[in-house]
Amino acid sequence: MGEKKTSESFMMKLARFIVNKRKAFIALFILACVYSVICIPKVAVVDDLTEYLPESTETRQGLDIMNEEFTTFGSAKVLVSNITYDRALALAEEMEKIKGISAVSFYDEEDSAYDGQEIGDYYRDASALYTLTFEEEEDTELSQAAMVQVREELTGYPSYVYTTVDKDDAASLKADMKVIVVIVVLIILVVLLFTSKTYMEIVIFLSVFGVAALINMGTNYWFGEISFVTNAVGAVLQLALAIDYAIILFHRFMEEHEDKETIEAVTVALSKAIPEISSSSLTTVSGMIALMFMQFGIGMDLGSVLTKAIIISLLTVFLLMPALIVMFSKAIDRTVHQNFVPTINFWGKMVVKLRFIGIPIFLVIVAGASVFSGRCPYIYDINSIESSKKNEFLASKERIGETFEVTNTMAIVLPKGDYEKEGRILKRLEAMEEVDTALGLANVEVSDDGKYILVDKLGPRDFSEVAGVDLDLVRVLYQFYAFDREQYSAFMKNLDDYRVSIIDMIDFIYQQKEKGGIEFDEEMSDEIDDLYKAVCDARKQLEGENYDRLVFTLRGAVEGADTFATIDRIRDIALEYYDEVYVVGDATSNYDLSTSFERDNVIISVLTALFVGVILLFTFQSAGLPFLLVLTIQGSIWINFSMPYLTGSTMYFLSYLVVSSIQMGATIDYAIVITSRYLDLRKGIPDRKAAVAQSLNEAFPTIITSGTILTSAGFVIGYLTNNAVIASLGKVLGRGTLISIILVMTVLPQLLLVGDRLIDKTELTKAVKLGQEKEA
């Protein structure tokens, strides 16, 4: 007995240790699950993808400054259809009375503020468009309550609300994912029922998947925060990516269990499965690691979480699953049933016969796909993604765009203080055809005739006229101001020549009123309060401690060459006056994303192919074989991403970056399964054609199980969630996996057969032997 132990391999010793300590591992996993349940609520989820822009980008730097120095009040656009103009005007007045709403913009011919504007910008085709501005930021309790009342006012009207005030993507996505997870689990049950050999294995698989997913979600707490993309699809992708591991181990166990007792069968199966599963998982992990090299931070987020998910899945299969198999061994034996997976010898024979037709067709298709995928029309705006199921936000934007022009709000952030320069920039912006409106402290009008703006410096007489305050009182105020600022020269000359900016004088008057330095009657006091509040609101939005902000709206598309060129022109205008300028908004965010995408695209493609190639080289000890496998998988990726160009649709850039790495990393496993079987079978089967056909037949259950689940999960996510980003990822993943399965089950066997001589000639062990023979 001692002699047997000393002759055992390391893997056998490791497997025996795991099986013998199975109760300790069960306790360990129970503790890990408890820890995860406690930690899951603590994981912060980031809903804004701009948070993952590189720190060096203009958008990221500008957003950081804006978040620190400015207040952005909540806003909403509301379209009400089938309404008369008079009723629409009355509705605007009703909404403006709501507490928390500071202004409702809607055309009123009796209001001088709308002089020179067109009614068609607010009312046309029996539809009214309102722009609501809230008194506070969108996430405050007051704004949330105001939005509830706005929706109550709209009850009974056919209305479309386009706002982020009460837009909760996380809650909506969470609700969608609950339904999606249930459907995916049902799909898994159906697939496993069809492909299983014993009903008990389904219970074991789901237990292993559940524990692995739970621990992965809980340990996301280690990262502090994760993106909504990772949070939403992490569990589903983990389940789909890692299912092969459990299948491989269990099928090994069933093979060993035919002539061994449970404990010994599990031990032997585990010793064989650990190296096989580990090498297989390396290709998947390599795809995830490639994501982590992205300049766009979402790659690090998704790559690190999914890499952790794969490692946790491996540990769960290696450490927990053997214990479950032993625990439920009797139930496994009792629930053995007929295998429903058909043999597909006919398919293998047909693939072999058509190899000289299939390979040329494949090479032509791949050549064309490589060209067409390079012409794939990528988009970067999250709100421009084509989605089967639209949420209220996107549906409202689309409906408003059918009747009215939807503009894009942008901002220029620049050093504070020089209103004259800001005024020049604003005038040049207003003169641009692409700019709809432009606003800054340097062009806020304070008189009905537009003669004066908020930062103009006025003498007492002009200020009296603008403010509607008695001239004598204004002169007293000016004297107080000069004395307070220790500008005594104002008393040495005519006070009417002393000039103070309107905004500074409003601040001073309010301060004196609050301190009781000057008494005002009740009516005047209320007017001062209202004026000061308006100035404060303007300052909060447009003036910070170190920077000022100019807000403008752009007509036209939110991305594209023309839009990006317009942004460059605007930036150049601002740079004529300032050395430090940040242009911020959806358009610049999309521009930064497009720039980082070009780099990330190359990095992911090269690194993934390199990692997979190296892993396959060491796995199969052949220099030619990795080429055949990578050609198959890369061909499937090119075909997948040529579809948008061929169908005239668009592709969200993130879908490409994420799915290309997952598709390469995950579906290479299918290729490895077939290739490994073929290399083993050809040692005992002289006829290479028969070996290829047999390898397809033996690999089919594993591929159809894993592939069906991953494909189904992708399409279910794609068509059932109203989150456009997640939907895009799901559809592209489902389509890509399906393409990969088709190529692996048709073209790859043909390449292996035709390239059999290449595999032999490039086998590393043979090259080493030849070298040794020559030396001898």
Side-chain angles (χ1 to χ4, degrees):
M1 194 72 181
E3 187 178 334
K4 181 181 179 182
K5 288 186 177 180
T6 56
S7 64
E8 283 187 344
S9 66
F10 170 76
M11 283 300 166
M12 191 65 184
K13 291 178 180 178
L14 178 62
R16 196 173 297 284
F17 172 80
I18 292 171
V19 174
N20 289 341
K21 302 296 182 181
R22 59 187 180 277
K23 292 181 180 179
F25 285 119
I26 289 176
L28 187 64
F29 276 97
I30 290 174
L31 290 175
C33 289
V34 172
Y35 169 80
S36 298
V37 170
I38 295 171
C39 289
I40 286 175
K42 299 179 182 179
V43 179
V45 179
V46 178
D47 295 324
D48 186 3
L49 288 180
T50 59
E51 292 285 334
Y52 295 95
L53 282 169
E55 293 295 332
S56 59
T57 59
E58 179 182 20
T59 302
R60 181 70 268 146
Q61 293 174 6
L63 284 172
D64 287 342
I65 292 172
M66 289 189 353
N67 290 335
E68 290 175 8
E69 299 214 358
F70 302 100
T71 297
T72 301
F73 294 125
S75 64
K77 285 188 179 294
V78 177
L79 182 139
V80 177
S81 58
N82 299 325
I83 189 172
T84 64
Y85 171 76
D86 290 338
R87 185 69 199 105
L89 183 59
L91 181 59
E93 294 170 353
E94 291 168 9
M95 287 192 291
E96 198 161 17
K97 295 175 184 176
I98 295 174
K99 184 180 179 182
I101 302 291
S102 62
V104 176
S105 177
F106 184 73
Y107 186 81
D108 184 354
E109 57 186 5
E110 296 181 3
D111 190 338
S112 59
Y114 295 94
D115 289 348
Q117 297 189 36
E118 299 289 335
I119 188 174
D121 293 335
Y122 300 87
Y123 183 83
R124 67 171 66 169
D125 300 334
S127 296
L129 179 64
Y130 307 93
T131 301
L132 280 59
T133 303
F134 292 75
E135 293 180 1
E136 297 179 357
E137 294 178 273
E138 62 181 30
D139 57 352
T140 66
E141 187 176 336
L142 179 62
S143 296
Q144 296 294 316
M147 195 66 240
V148 171
Q149 292 184 56
V150 167
R151 291 187 181 277
E152 290 176 358
E153 286 289 345
L154 296 172
T155 303
Y157 295 99
S159 59
Y160 302 85
V161 181
Y162 177 54
T163 183
T164 56
V165 171
D166 59 351
K167 180 172 177 272
D168 192 345
D169 285 334
S172 176
L173 185 57
K174 189 175 181 180
D176 286 343
M177 290 310 296
K178 287 180 180 177
V179 177
I180 289 170
V181 168
V182 169
I183 294 176
V184 169
V185 169
L186 289 175
I187 291 172
I188 292 171
L189 283 172
V190 171
V191 172
L192 292 179
L193 280 170
F194 178 74
T195 60
S196 65
K197 295 180 180 179
T198 167
Y199 293 121
M200 197 60 211
E201 74 180 80
I202 300 173
V203 177
I204 294 174
F205 286 167
L206 291 180
S207 299
V208 170
F209 298 154
V211 169
L214 180 64
I215 295 174
N216 189 51
M217 287 189 289
T219 51
N220 286 338
Y221 176 65
W222 299 346
F223 299 120
E225 59 183 25
I226 60 173
S227 72
F228 74 93
V229 176
T230 304
N231 188 57
V233 302
V236 176
L237 289 180
Q238 178 187 8
L239 184 153
L241 290 173
I243 191 171
D244 289 348
Y245 312 151
I247 293 173
I248 290 171
L249 176 57
F250 194 83
H251 285 184
R252 285 282 187 185
F253 164 73
M254 293 299 288
E255 291 172 6
E256 299 295 334
H257 193 39
E258 290 178 1
D259 56 7
K260 295 182 181 70
E261 292 298 322
T262 299
I263 297 291
E264 188 64 19
V266 171
T267 304
V268 174
L270 185 59
S271 68
K272 293 179 179 180
I274 288 176
E276 182 180 353
I277 294 172
S278 298
S279 61
S280 175
S281 68
L282 282 176
T283 58
T284 308
V285 170
S286 67
M288 301 304 104
I289 291 175
L291 277 178
M292 295 164 69
F293 283 89
M294 285 172 57
Q295 188 179 23
F296 186 36
I298 193 70
M300 176 60 75
D301 180 76
L302 190 61
S304 56
V305 170
L306 287 182
T307 298
K308 176 169 64 68
I310 293 168
I311 294 172
I312 289 173
S313 296
L314 283 173
L315 292 175
T316 309
V317 169
F318 292 158
L319 304 179
L320 178 63
M321 191 170 173
L324 295 178
I325 291 175
V326 173
M327 185 184 299
F328 297 113
S329 59
K330 292 182 180 179
I332 292 172
D333 293 336
R334 285 199 303 267
T335 59
V336 172
H337 62 80
Q338 179 185 354
N339 188 0
F340 300 113
V341 180
T343 58
I344 55 167
N345 291 319
F346 73 94
W347 179 260
K349 293 176 182 178
M350 184 178 68
V351 167
V352 168
K353 286 181 180 179
L354 297 176
R355 64 189 181 281
F356 295 115
I357 299 175
I359 292 177
I361 292 175
F362 167 71
L363 293 176
V364 170
I365 292 175
V366 166
S370 67
V371 175
F372 295 142
S373 64
R375 299 176 183 175
C376 180
Y378 293 104
I379 58 173
Y380 306 92
D381 179 40
I382 194 172
N383 295 322
S384 300
I385 303 173
E386 298 173 358
S387 178
S388 303
K389 185 180 177 184
K390 290 184 173 62
N391 56 26
E392 183 197 33
F393 183 81
L394 293 179
S396 296
K397 179 187 178 184
E398 188 176 288
R399 175 61 184 87
I400 292 172
E402 292 174 3
T403 307
F404 300 92
E405 184 177 28
V406 179
T407 55
N408 308 309
T409 302
M410 305 284 295
I412 303 175
V413 179
L414 31 77
K416 176 183 176 180
D418 197 328
Y419 297 128
E420 185 178 346
K421 288 181 180 179
E422 292 179 21
R424 291 175 186 172
I425 294 173
L426 288 166
K427 285 180 180 179
R428 293 179 66 176
L429 288 179
E430 290 173 331
M432 293 178 65
E433 184 180 347
E434 299 89 349
V435 175
D436 185 42
T437 61
L439 176 67
L441 286 179
N443 73 344
V444 175
E445 297 178 356
V446 293
S447 58
D448 293 339
D449 57 5
K451 183 179 179 181
Y452 299 114
I453 59 176
L454 190 60
V455 296
D456 279 345
K457 292 184 176 182
L458 304 182
R461 189 174 297 279
D462 290 333
F463 187 87
S464 172
E465 179 184 339
V466 172
V469 181
D470 180 73
L471 178 58
D472 292 334
L473 178 57
V474 171
R475 282 177 173 151
V476 172
L477 292 171
Y478 267 63
Q479 288 176 346
F480 266 96
Y481 183 91
F483 182 80
D484 185 70
R485 300 296 190 274
E486 298 182 355
Q487 297 173 352
Y488 304 116
S489 60
F491 298 100
M492 307 296 294
K493 52 187 178 181
N494 188 351
L495 187 64
D496 287 340
D497 293 332
Y498 182 53
R499 297 183 172 276
V500 181
S501 69
I502 297 173
I503 190 170
D504 287 341
M505 183 52 69
I506 292 172
D507 285 343
F508 177 74
I509 293 173
Y510 180 79
Q511 290 168 6
Q512 292 302 314
K513 182 184 81 70
E514 290 297 292
K515 290 190 298 185
I518 303 175
E519 292 187 2
F520 299 93
D521 60 39
E522 185 177 348
E523 183 179 354
M524 178 62 71
S525 179
D526 290 341
E527 289 181 7
I528 292 172
D529 289 344
D530 292 341
L531 189 57
Y532 180 74
K533 184 181 183 304
V535 170
C536 283
D537 288 347
R539 272 188 158 148
K540 287 177 183 178
Q541 297 182 82
L542 305 172
E543 185 179 55
E545 184 177 347
N546 303 297
Y547 294 89
D548 283 346
R549 178 166 66 170
L550 311 180
V551 179
F552 63 97
T553 53
L554 275 182
R555 297 187 179 95
V558 74
E559 64 178 285
D562 292 340
T563 301
F564 295 155
T566 300
I567 297 299
D568 288 338
R569 284 171 53 205
I570 291 172
R571 185 184 297 105
D572 290 341
I573 289 173
L575 286 171
E576 291 180 24
Y577 302 92
Y578 295 91
D579 294 329
E580 183 184 8
V581 169
Y582 305 94
V583 183
V584 185
D586 287 342
T588 52
S589 173
N590 296 332
Y591 178 78
D592 288 335
L593 289 173
S594 68
T595 303
S596 66
F597 170 70
E598 294 173 3
R599 173 186 175 276
D600 291 338
N601 186 9
V602 174
I603 286 178
I604 286 182
S605 299
V606 172
L607 286 181
T608 304
L610 181 63
F611 289 158
V612 171
V614 170
I615 291 168
L616 293 176
L617 176 65
F618 283 98
T619 300
F620 294 111
Q621 296 292 300
S622 170
L625 192 55
F627 170 75
L628 299 178
L629 299 183
V630 172
L631 175 62
T632 306
I633 302 304
Q634 186 60 53
S636 71
I637 292 173
W638 281 333
I639 293 171
N640 189 17
F641 292 102
S642 66
M643 292 296 181
Y645 174 79
L646 296 174
T647 59
S649 56
T650 56
M651 169 71 66
Y652 186 53
F653 82 103
L654 190 59
S655 298
Y656 174 83
L657 292 175
V658 174
V659 173
S660 61
S661 60
I662 291 176
Q663 186 178 348
M664 172 71 88
T667 57
I668 196 75
D669 289 347
Y670 310 150
I672 290 175
V673 170
I674 289 179
T675 304
S676 299
R677 299 264 179 183
Y678 171 68
L679 294 178
D680 288 340
L681 288 170
R682 74 173 187 162
K683 294 175 183 176
I685 303 177
D687 185 354
R688 297 289 193 260
K689 298 176 185 178
V692 165
Q694 182 63 23
S695 64
L696 273 177
N697 187 55
E698 291 183 6
F700 178 66
T702 301
I703 293 173
I704 198 64
T705 303
S706 176
T708 301
I709 290 173
L710 186 54
T711 302
S712 301
F715 284 129
V716 167
I717 290 172
Y719 287 98
L720 289 186
T721 180
N722 61 26
N723 185 291
V725 175
I726 306 302
S728 176
L729 286 170
K731 289 178 186 176
V732 179
L733 178 61
R735 184 178 67 206
T737 306
L738 182 60
I739 293 170
S740 294
I741 292 172
I742 293 171
L743 293 186
V744 165
M745 291 295 294
T746 55
V747 177
L748 178 61
Q750 295 173 342
L751 290 174
L752 291 174
L753 185 58
V754 173
D756 189 77
R757 187 173 298 177
L758 173 66
I759 297 171
D760 277 339
K761 287 186 175 182
T762 58
E763 191 174 344
L764 299 183
T765 52
K766 284 189 177 181
V768 171
K769 287 180 181 178
L770 286 173
Q772 290 173 345
E773 289 174 2
K774 286 181 180 179
E775 288 179 5

